[in-house]
Amino acid sequence: MNKLNTEVQSRKAPVSAWSPFRYPIFAAIWTATVVSNIGGWMFSAASAWLMTNLNPDPLVVSLVQVATTLPMFLFAIPAGALADIMDKRLFLIVGESSITITSAMFAAIVWLNLTTPFNLLLFTFLTSVASTLTSPAWQAVVPQLVPKPQLSPAIAANSVGMNVSRAVGPALGGVMVARIGIAAPFWVNAFSNLGVIGALLWWRSPKTTKKHLPVERFGSAIRTGLRHARHNPHLRATLIRAVGFFLFASAYWALLPLVTRTQIAGGPSLYGYLLGAIGASAVGSALILPRLKEGLGADGVVVAGTVGTAIALVLFGVAGNWPLALAASVVAGGSWIAVVATLNVSAQVALPDWVRGRGLAIFVTAFFGALSLGSAIWGEVANFVGLPTAHLVAAGGLVISIPLMWRWKVQTGAEMDLTPSMHWPTPVLSHEVENNRGPVLVTVEYQIASSDRERFLTALEKLGRERGRDGAYAWGIFEDAAKEGRFFETFLVESWLEHLRQHERVTNADRVLQKTIGNFLQGGKPTVTHFIAAEHKTKKRS
């Protein structure tokens, strides 16, 4: 089916929770991913339980969670840059193949009884590194699998799929460990990834409009992504809320194996069932989340999820039997998905397409960085004060975080139109400029009425953040001391090529802001001038 027919079909097709599954490639990749994630959750559950056999020290057990989440903190941003500048399909095929190979190697080690705490942590870390490298590409590829009207339900379906695998994987892994042996979940995980690789090989990514500008370089892409996040207030607020929640919510993820083994005196099957209850509850909560958001708003949902997580931590802390631990798991799962899904959507709606992979990678970095740090902290706290007290302290921290985090709102970028406006005119040049020449100084001259000065400067400060989001690394506004109402805006960009990219990155929301500033001007449009760092013509450039 060609692109035009696909667009016509997407306009006619109703949008529902099930509508993305009308597209065969989405359905195939979604199904294969759920199977793969079931294997991944079996791996996670079996790894944590295996460590309690090898070394039951709370800090060492919590390091399994650290090894799982730390790569997201260390490598997510470079992975996001790669997702934005490389062919996503090929990148995913290579990444998923490496996950399969690494998982099979560790399954063999477990099968041969060669496991030690060190190689368990090492292979958990390596497998997580490979997953980290593919994570931003998986999130950024969704718009290529379904038409734009189906994007929101597709993202929701992926969230449900993740939690279905979370519900099934740990429980299945626990049963396998108890009845077949500790190596079984690791072998299943190794082979579960083959379906994803097959689906990616079958898929042919749609052809996109060829860009006339060269692909961004890796280092420059990372710097630009970080600069965008720094100047994006909607994304920054989401990151702050994420750190404030996950730092404390990480406690029950890190300590649940020990709660099961030492506090409740349960086995691997019970541990799997508790993790499965968390996932099943998350699936149920995801189905009512739209209604919950309609009643409470996005910030209200995050607060409700935070309170629910604090309650779950208290229940885990006092649990002396499996029914109470099961109740805690149900509360934890529903609360977890309420916060995670809301924050994920908040990050998505704050980002334009050109930096989506990097922006989501920065969100993932904050997410898993807080989980990694929190896991290590709560493992050490449990060493000193015991499991019950560690849970209660984490619950108290969550409650205190609610008023402290309230000033940073989530999903504030939902109403912005972040599609490229392409309204900047092509720069007028007297001679050809090489792409790598730079830095470039851009000046914009404004003439306004003196009575509009304060309102103009307030609007221009917002424009300064837009320049930073689109690649400028320095910005300023200067006032002519000799002529009242004359202002010069200046900003620096790394190279001429990077400035040309700015022309493609400006959004319709930025266009509205620039139009507002234009209403202050006297005598027509502002005067834009481009200056490039001077160098001798005979000087050789690398």
Side-chain angles (χ1 to χ4, degrees):
M1 182 180 293
N2 61 36
K3 184 177 179 182
L4 178 60
N5 289 338
T6 301
E7 291 177 351
V8 171
Q9 182 187 28
S10 69
R11 283 196 296 266
K12 293 181 179 179
V15 177
S16 70
W18 303 103
S19 56
F21 294 95
R22 296 190 183 99
Y23 302 90
I25 185 58
F26 177 84
I29 289 182
W30 185 91
T31 303
T33 303
V34 169
V35 173
S36 176
N37 286 336
I38 288 174
W41 279 104
M42 292 172 67
F43 178 95
S44 298
S47 297
W49 190 258
L50 179 57
M51 185 60 85
T52 65
N53 290 326
L54 297 172
N55 189 334
D57 180 88
L59 178 59
V60 176
V61 174
S62 70
L63 288 179
V64 176
Q65 177 75 5
V66 174
T68 302
T69 57
L70 184 60
M72 285 290 186
F73 174 72
L74 296 177
F75 304 114
I77 293 177
L82 291 173
D84 280 334
I85 65 179
M86 293 182 65
D87 180 274
K88 294 178 179 61
R89 173 180 171 272
L90 179 60
F91 184 65
L92 286 171
I93 291 172
V94 173
E96 295 298 328
S97 299
S98 67
I99 293 173
T100 301
I101 294 170
T102 305
S103 300
M105 290 173 62
F106 186 65
I109 289 174
V110 177
W111 184 53
L112 295 171
N113 294 318
L114 299 176
T115 317
T116 65
F118 174 76
N119 62 34
L120 171 57
L121 292 174
L122 175 63
F123 274 90
T124 300
F125 181 82
L126 292 176
T127 303
S128 185
V129 168
S131 297
T132 297
L133 294 177
T134 59
S135 179
W138 274 121
Q139 295 189 63
V141 83
V142 177
Q144 297 183 22
L145 304 179
V146 296
K148 188 174 181 180
Q150 309 293 341
L151 183 57
S152 180
I155 293 173
N158 284 339
S159 180
V160 170
M162 172 61 74
N163 286 287
V164 166
S165 62
R166 180 183 293 171
V168 175
L172 189 57
V175 171
M176 281 191 173
V177 170
R179 299 189 178 183
I180 302 177
I182 190 65
F186 296 99
W187 282 117
V188 171
N189 175 56
F191 290 109
S192 67
N193 225 38
L194 295 178
V196 173
I197 298 172
L200 289 170
L201 290 172
W202 171 54
W203 175 45
R204 290 294 178 265
S205 53
K207 294 182 179 180
T208 56
T209 304
K210 188 175 181 180
K211 296 182 179 181
H212 67 278
L213 296 179
V215 174
E216 289 183 79
R217 293 182 178 179
F218 179 66
S220 176
I222 292 178
R223 288 194 302 273
T224 304
L226 292 171
R227 195 174 294 132
H228 178 92
R230 176 189 171 191
H231 294 281
N232 187 328
H234 311 286
L235 181 61
R236 283 205 319 270
T238 304
L239 299 178
I240 293 170
R241 293 292 287 271
V243 171
F245 174 76
F246 295 121
L247 190 64
F248 297 101
S250 59
Y252 73 82
W253 286 109
L255 302 176
L256 188 56
L258 289 172
V259 170
T260 306
R261 189 181 189 104
T262 64
Q263 194 169 300
I264 306 175
S269 296
L270 177 60
Y271 176 58
Y273 292 145
L274 293 179
L275 286 176
I278 292 174
S281 176
V283 172
S285 179
L287 296 177
I288 65 170
L289 199 55
R291 202 176 308 168
L292 194 63
K293 180 186 174 184
E294 186 177 341
L296 299 177
D299 287 290
V301 170
V302 172
V303 170
T306 303
V307 172
T309 303
I311 294 172
L313 283 165
V314 172
L315 292 176
F316 278 124
V318 301
N321 52 62
W322 70 263
L324 192 54
L326 187 63
S329 298
V330 171
V331 175
S335 303
W336 177 267
I337 194 62
V339 177
V340 172
T342 304
L343 291 177
N344 188 278
V345 172
S346 184
Q348 288 272 7
V349 298
L351 294 165
D353 286 340
W354 69 268
V355 75
R356 187 172 301 279
R358 282 163 282 184
L360 292 174
I362 291 169
F363 169 71
V364 167
T365 299
F367 180 163
F368 284 94
L371 279 179
S372 299
L373 178 61
S375 296
I377 289 173
W378 299 117
E380 190 65 20
V381 170
N383 248 340
F384 282 98
V385 300
L387 288 172
T389 304
H391 285 89
L392 296 178
V393 172
L398 274 177
V399 173
I400 294 172
S401 74
I402 294 174
L404 295 179
M405 297 286 123
W406 185 248
R407 59 177 291 195
W408 290 284
K409 307 299 183 182
V410 298
Q411 297 190 17
T412 51
E415 301 301 322
M416 298 188 304
D417 183 358
L418 298 180
T419 55
S421 64
M422 306 300 291
H423 72 281
W424 280 14
T426 303
V428 177
L429 302 175
S430 61
H431 59 278
E432 185 177 351
V433 178
E434 295 179 14
N435 285 339
N436 64 345
R437 283 281 304 275
V440 175
L441 170 66
V442 181
T443 67
V444 187
E445 180 181 351
Y446 304 94
Q447 183 66 46
I448 67 164
S450 57
S451 58
D452 292 330
R453 182 180 184 277
E454 294 304 317
R455 289 184 298 157
F456 169 75
L457 290 177
T458 299
L460 212 60
E461 287 174 359
K462 295 180 181 179
L463 184 62
R465 290 193 289 270
E466 179 262 309
R467 309 293 197 199
R469 288 194 298 273
D470 290 346
Y473 65 84
W475 178 88
I477 180 70
F478 299 89
E479 188 172 7
D480 192 337
K483 185 176 180 181
E484 189 173 6
R486 188 187 187 201
F487 291 85
F488 280 90
E489 177 198 5
T490 66
F491 57 93
L492 283 165
V493 190
E494 290 180 356
S495 66
W496 182 248
L497 177 59
E498 190 65 13
H499 177 61
L500 294 179
R501 295 193 198 283
Q502 285 186 302
H503 284 249
E504 296 185 346
R505 294 168 179 167
V506 179
T507 67
N508 286 326
D510 300 329
R511 184 176 189 173
V512 171
L513 174 60
Q514 291 174 19
K515 185 177 180 180
T516 300
I517 292 173
N519 293 332
F520 293 107
L521 300 183
Q522 294 180 333
K525 297 181 179 179
T527 302
V528 181
T529 310
H530 302 85
F531 297 92
I532 305 175
E535 57 184 31
H536 293 288
K537 292 184 178 180
T538 57
K539 182 180 177 181
K540 293 183 179 180
R541 292 185 296 274
S542 58

